[in-house]
Amino acid sequence: MNAPIDDNTPSKPTNFLRGIIDRDLEQGTYASRRWAGSPGDAAHHEAGQPDPAKIRTRFPPEPNGYLHVGHAKSICLNFGLARDYGGVCHMRFDDTNPEKEEQEYVDSILDAVKWLGFGWESNFNGKAESHLYYASNYFDFMYEAAEALITAGLAYVDEQTPEEMRANRGDFSTPGKDSPFRSRAAKENLARFREMRDGKHPDGSMVLRAKIDMASPNINMRDPAIYRIRRATHHNTGDKWCIYPMYTFAHPIEDALEQITHSICTLEFEDQRPFYDWLVDNLAKLGLLKHPNPKQYEFARLNLTYVITSKRKLKQLVDEKVVEGWDDPRMPTIVGLRRRGYTPEAIQLFCERIGVSKADSWIDYSTLDIALRDDLENKAHRGMAVLDPVKLVLTNWDEVMGTGHLEPCALPALPHPPEGTESPVRHFKLGREVWIEREDFEEVPPKGYKRLFPGNKVRLKGGYVIECTGCNKDADGRVTEVLATVVPDTKSGTPGADSVKVKAAITWVGVADGVEAEVRLYDRLFTDPHPDAGGKDFKASLNPDSKKVMKAYVEPSLAQAVPDQKFQFERFGYFVADRKDHQAGKPVFNKITGLKDSWK
């Protein structure tokens, strides 16, 4: 576990959550807690040593999909707070809905958290402990808690139809109506609940509800359902249960059993906080939980332009093959961002920069790209690639340099290497024929054009100065070759032309040692900055140009890349060797982002 950061560290970010934690630590709110190791039953709260962790946070995803960039913010926040305060962050799966949950999602979530740079292990006083938990490990205790609420007259089995329950719940201007089953005796409710558990009633025929207040202005307090019948095989418990707790019932219990100090949620759970407090307070009164209770705090979720984060809609994109899987580089999933080439450091930097607040706001997507550029600027090796190639022929090469001669060239791979180090050098060869970008030649140049046109001189970057003499075309008038000559130095008469002044240098790749590559140019998946806001059909704003595949040529150093290796293609931006399709001899690169924000 990382050493805690001193609270007085000047660079430590401040936000309202840190203020709450600072206050609780100063007041000793959780100083009396005793930690007995892995939670799971009420006895956990009866013994143990003083908790060595100053705070306990948790990251509690439901394993029903792949994590996205919004989850990355929560991961960085919860694990980061625990790290900075010398505490522990629990990795917990809220797996209460077996119909939508799969082991595939569990595995992908664990991998995403680790890739982002966080773990769930602690080591206090030489004692190592894993803090990986599942809601399903507490199902026995949750059932016991439900029976205790029934016995205390705080819960009842409701046999209304779902439609009747919705109608009797009321709305913001109309109080709810009591269920006809609300006044049933505790003994009868207990018997019916046990029948639910034993599979004697069909799915959807009845639910267990907390008995709170059907006239509450907070609709979430109008006798919320806490258990339902659901015959489905669970990824962790198999077919042991045919009833499952609701998320809003399970989550506070998990926090209490794990002795979480600060349960940090997004703002949509703010209206659920009264039930959270009601549940843990009553279970403590009934002797099933011990004080001090955990507290829930809410922060604004990440709203990123040109992105959707609805799991249902993301799954729709995958199922309808609009994208090529959960890890499609256009997806905002963490596996998609990873394959696109974003780094854990860039995502952490992004989350730190956008901060934490109580107010909803929109973050422009360019903010994420800025963090990526800042991370890769001094880490990504440079290289030249030609994405829209046309051949350049140096017609006097054999005469000046010798037939078949290849001139060795070299450039630094890192223009600004870390202090105290030297840049690695990349090597390539210049010969009679090279590939250049088609846009680097104009037969009739527009005003201000400084690259190749008949009579103009440019430098081949890392090579010689050349002078354009014309071009060859096919029958349709399309340029097939650009023609030029090597310009000799005016003083020595040898190739190089160091004394010749030119206004432009262009990138190129030698035909002799360049390697053909597939380059995938990715852009934003949607053209609308708010593709699903206000009930819009998000698919109506899909960007038809979100993916373009190019046949390109790259210099030898790029062809030697390994999967996941990042580069800056000079003049084009940042690219990554695709982690699935790139292989020796058949390089595949994904564009991560440009050198600057060019979205219009």
Side-chain angles (χ1 to χ4, degrees):
M1 178 171 197
N2 293 335
I5 295 176
D6 187 277
D7 287 354
N8 296 316
T9 302
S11 61
K12 177 180 170 184
T14 59
N15 55 60
F16 76 97
L17 290 171
R18 288 184 180 273
I20 291 169
I21 294 171
D22 289 339
R23 178 204 65 200
D24 287 343
L25 291 176
E26 182 179 348
Q27 296 177 356
T29 304
Y30 297 98
S32 63
R33 291 178 314 158
R34 304 184 74 79
W35 180 252
S38 299
D41 54 48
H44 168 73
H45 296 264
E46 300 293 345
Q49 300 298 316
D51 190 351
K54 291 183 179 180
I55 68 168
R56 288 185 184 271
T57 59
R58 83 291 171 273
F59 175 61
E62 299 171 73
N64 57 6
Y66 283 74
L67 299 186
H68 53 64
V69 65
H71 293 112
K73 178 180 178 179
S74 182
I75 292 169
C76 292
L77 177 61
N78 281 286
F79 282 93
L81 286 172
R83 174 199 62 205
D84 292 353
Y85 282 95
V88 171
C89 183
H90 291 195
M91 177 71 233
R92 182 211 301 151
F93 289 97
D94 269 322
D95 52 350
T96 60
N97 189 359
E99 288 184 321
K100 296 184 178 181
E101 296 161 356
E102 298 178 20
Q103 187 62 40
E104 173 190 353
Y105 299 138
V106 172
D107 296 339
S108 73
I109 290 169
L110 294 176
D111 182 65
V113 173
K114 286 187 174 181
W115 177 74
L116 279 171
F118 299 101
W120 43 88
E121 296 81 19
S122 67
N123 194 328
F124 293 109
N125 299 321
K127 182 180 179 182
E129 192 168 70
S130 172
H131 299 283
L132 173 61
Y133 305 114
Y134 295 82
S136 52
N137 290 341
Y138 312 139
F139 280 173
D140 288 329
F141 179 87
M142 291 176 189
Y143 179 83
E144 178 186 347
E147 285 206 350
L149 291 174
I150 294 171
T151 302
L154 297 173
Y156 63 98
V157 173
D158 193 350
E159 298 180 43
Q160 295 181 98
T161 65
E163 294 74 22
E164 290 170 335
M165 287 182 62
R166 277 194 294 270
N168 290 333
R169 194 182 188 196
D171 53 34
F172 291 109
S173 60
T174 308
K177 298 178 182 178
D178 286 359
S179 164
F181 301 96
R182 195 173 194 268
S183 59
R184 188 155 55 185
K187 184 177 180 180
E188 188 177 353
N189 278 314
L190 193 59
R192 297 296 269 176
F193 186 53
R194 289 173 177 173
E195 290 174 5
M196 289 171 58
R197 176 199 63 192
D198 296 338
K200 295 182 177 180
H201 300 281
D203 290 10
S205 61
M206 54 184 67
V207 296
L208 181 67
R209 300 176 69 178
K211 186 187 290 188
I212 307 178
D213 181 5
M214 288 300 293
S216 173
N218 184 340
I219 294 179
N220 295 291
M221 297 297 282
R222 295 180 186 177
D223 294 6
I226 58 177
Y227 258 94
R228 79 282 204 199
I229 305 171
R230 185 69 54 84
R231 287 173 174 79
T233 300
H234 191 281
H235 75 95
N236 193 24
T237 60
D239 295 318
K240 178 180 178 180
W241 298 92
C242 66
I243 58 171
Y244 291 96
M246 304 296 288
Y247 173 86
T248 51
F249 176 74
H251 190 86
I253 291 176
E254 297 156 29
D255 284 349
L257 288 176
E258 294 175 17
Q259 294 183 256
I260 300 302
T261 58
H262 301 83
S263 181
I264 302 169
C265 310
T266 46
L267 280 176
E268 61 261 38
F269 293 99
E270 187 172 26
D271 289 341
Q272 295 285 356
R273 193 194 324 144
F275 177 69
Y276 183 106
D277 293 338
W278 179 92
L279 181 60
V280 293
D281 286 345
N282 278 290
L283 292 180
K285 291 175 184 176
L286 294 173
L288 272 72
L289 297 176
K290 293 291 183 181
H291 290 291
N293 292 332
K295 294 293 183 183
Q296 176 178 303
Y297 303 96
E298 304 85 19
F299 70 99
R301 63 181 294 175
L302 173 60
N303 296 308
L304 195 62
T305 58
Y306 300 99
V307 161
I308 60 172
T309 54
S310 161
K311 285 184 182 179
R312 177 181 60 81
K313 293 174 183 176
L314 292 175
K315 188 174 187 300
Q316 185 178 345
L317 292 175
V318 174
D319 291 345
E320 295 179 4
K321 301 189 184 308
V322 175
V323 295
E324 298 163 12
W326 288 98
D327 67 345
D328 187 299
R330 293 166 291 180
M331 289 280 275
T333 53
I334 293 178
V335 288
L337 292 170
R338 182 179 182 181
R339 189 173 178 193
R340 176 77 171 261
Y342 286 91
T343 63
E345 295 83 2
I347 295 174
Q348 287 192 44
L349 180 60
F350 166 72
C351 292
E352 180 182 321
R353 287 177 173 175
I354 63 177
V356 180
S357 73
K358 292 279 287 185
D360 272 325
S361 62
W362 284 91
I363 304 297
D364 193 86
Y365 194 92
S366 62
T367 309
L368 177 58
D369 281 346
I370 291 170
L372 187 280
R373 294 187 196 102
D374 288 347
D375 179 51
L376 290 183
E377 170 62 25
N378 294 322
K379 293 183 354 186
H381 283 201
R382 274 44 169 182
M384 290 191 290
V386 177
L387 306 188
D388 185 14
V390 64
K391 187 174 289 185
L392 169 70
V393 179
L394 301 175
T395 55
N396 67 339
W397 182 266
D398 290 346
E399 175 188 345
V400 174
M401 303 298 298
T403 302
H405 176 74
L406 295 175
E407 182 70 13
C409 302
L411 283 173
L414 285 176
H416 307 288
E419 187 175 353
T421 65
E422 293 185 1
S423 172
V425 177
R426 59 192 218 262
H427 299 273
F428 45 94
K429 294 180 179 179
L430 176 61
R432 182 175 183 272
E433 296 180 338
V434 302
W435 299 107
I436 63 169
E437 289 294 332
R438 186 170 291 276
E439 65 176 22
D440 284 347
F441 170 76
E442 290 285 352
E443 191 172 13
V444 180
K447 184 178 180 180
Y449 190 80
K450 298 177 181 179
R451 285 165 278 173
L452 287 170
F453 56 87
N456 195 45
K457 299 181 181 70
V458 302
R459 179 177 293 279
L460 295 176
K461 188 167 185 178
Y464 296 149
V465 171
I466 62 172
E467 181 178 355
C468 182
T469 58
C471 65
N472 293 324
K473 301 179 182 179
D474 62 17
D476 297 323
R478 180 177 171 82
V479 175
T480 56
E481 290 182 335
V482 178
L483 306 176
T485 58
V486 178
V487 177
D489 185 83
T490 54
K491 294 180 179 179
S492 65
T494 59
D498 289 335
S499 64
V500 177
K501 302 299 181 184
V502 295
K503 295 182 179 180
I506 64 172
T507 53
W508 57 279
V509 171
V511 169
D513 65 350
V515 178
E516 185 177 316
E518 179 178 310
V519 174
R520 300 165 181 173
L521 302 180
Y522 289 106
D523 211 330
R524 302 180 188 187
L525 187 56
F526 299 98
T527 58
D528 188 331
H530 309 113
D532 60 347
K536 289 184 288 189
D537 177 7
F538 66 98
K539 292 197 296 181
S541 61
L542 283 167
N543 179 7
D545 297 321
S546 63
K547 179 183 178 181
K548 294 180 180 179
V549 179
M550 315 284 287
K551 173 187 173 182
Y553 292 95
V554 299
E555 68 172 65
S557 65
L558 299 179
Q560 296 166 11
V562 296
D564 260 347
Q565 189 173 357
K566 284 83 176 173
F567 297 91
Q568 185 190 111
F569 285 10
E570 297 192 43
R571 80 188 272 179
F572 291 115
Y574 293 98
F575 290 74
V576 63
D578 187 84
R579 63 194 312 260
K580 289 178 67 175
D581 298 334
H582 178 90
Q583 55 185 297
K586 294 183 178 179
V588 177
F589 293 95
N590 302 329
K591 183 178 182 180
I592 317 172
T593 189
L595 294 176
K596 60 182 180 179
D597 184 24
S598 59
W599 177 262
K600 294 180 176 60

